[in-house]
Amino acid sequence: ANYVGGLAGYNWGGTITNTYSTGAVTGTTNVGGLLGENWGNGTISNSYSTGDVTGSGDDVGGLVGYNEGTITDSYSTGAVSGGDYVGGLVGESWGTITDSYSTGAVTGANYVGGLVGYNEDTITDSYSTGTVSGGSDVGGLVGRNWNTITNSYSTGAVTGTNAVGGLVGDNEDTITDSYSTGTVSGDDSVGGLVGCNNMDI
C-alpha cells in the first residue's frame, strides 16, 4: 500500500547509482517508479524509470514519491497519476534536483507538476515535457515552489482550476533563466509562466 517503488520501497540515506526500473508501479501513498521514498540525505544518480505509476493517495512520482535527498542525472518517462503532491519525476521534494527530467503525462488533484508536485529545495538544469492536469497549484514544471529554480523549462500543456502556470502554479521563491512553452488553461490565477507569484522572477 505505502512506500512502493519499482526498485525499492524506502531508501534511508543510501546511495543508488546507475539503476533503473521498467515495470508499472501501483500503491496508495509514497509511490514512485524507482523509489517510494528517498529519506535521510539518500542519493540517486544516473538512474531512471519508464513504467507508469499510479497512487490512490498522496506523494506519487514517476521516479520518487517523496524525496529528502539528492537526485542527479536521472529521469522518468511513464505516466503518473495520484491524489495530492504528484509529479512526473517527484511527487513531493525537500531535496535538490539537478540535471534531471520527466516526459510522462501527470494527473492529480492539488500540487501537481510536470517535474515536481511540491518543491522545497533547489531545482537546476532540469525540465519536463509531459501534459499536466489537476485542480489547484498546477504547473508544467512545479505545482507549488518554495525554493530556487534555475536553468529549467517545461513544454507540456497545463490544465487546472486555481494557480495554474506553464512553469509553476504557485511560486514563493526565485526563478531565473527558465521558461515554458505549453498552452495553459484554468479558472483563477492563470499564467503562461507562473499562475500566482509572490517572489522574484
Side-chain angles (χ1 to χ4, degrees):
N2 305 319
Y3 308 106
V4 184
L7 185 78
Y10 196 103
N11 178 45
W12 185 281
T15 299
I16 296 176
T17 306
N18 300 324
T19 62
Y20 68 89
S21 61
T22 61
V25 181
T26 304
T28 303
T29 63
N30 299 79
V31 183
L34 191 77
L35 284 175
E37 182 164 325
N38 186 41
W39 182 264
N41 296 317
T43 300
I44 301 170
S45 62
N46 296 312
S47 298
Y48 67 88
S49 61
T50 61
D52 294 344
V53 181
T54 305
S56 58
D58 303 336
D59 292 322
V60 182
L63 190 78
V64 179
Y66 182 94
N67 174 57
E68 284 205 356
T70 300
I71 298 174
T72 308
D73 295 314
S74 298
Y75 68 88
S76 61
T77 62
V80 183
S81 63
D84 293 340
Y85 309 103
V86 182
L89 190 79
V90 179
E92 182 175 355
S93 182
W94 295 69
T96 61
I97 298 174
T98 307
D99 293 315
S100 299
Y101 68 89
S102 62
T103 62
V106 183
T107 305
N110 305 306
Y111 310 111
V112 183
L115 190 77
V116 179
Y118 184 96
N119 178 59
E120 284 274 359
D121 211 320
T122 58
I123 296 175
T124 308
D125 299 321
S126 299
Y127 68 89
S128 61
T129 62
T131 60
V132 183
S133 62
S136 179
D137 294 359
V138 182
L141 190 78
V142 177
R144 176 173 285 188
N145 176 57
W146 287 89
N147 213 308
T148 303
I149 297 174
T150 307
N151 294 325
S152 299
Y153 68 89
S154 61
T155 62
V158 183
T159 304
T161 56
N162 180 61
V164 185
L167 190 77
V168 177
D170 189 333
N171 180 54
E172 305 288 341
D173 212 308
T174 304
I175 299 174
T176 58
D177 297 318
S178 300
Y179 68 90
S180 63
T181 61
T183 59
V184 183
S185 62
D187 297 327
D188 299 303
S189 300
V190 182
L193 189 74
V194 175
C196 179
N197 181 58
N198 294 304
M199 282 298 287
D200 298 331
I201 297 179

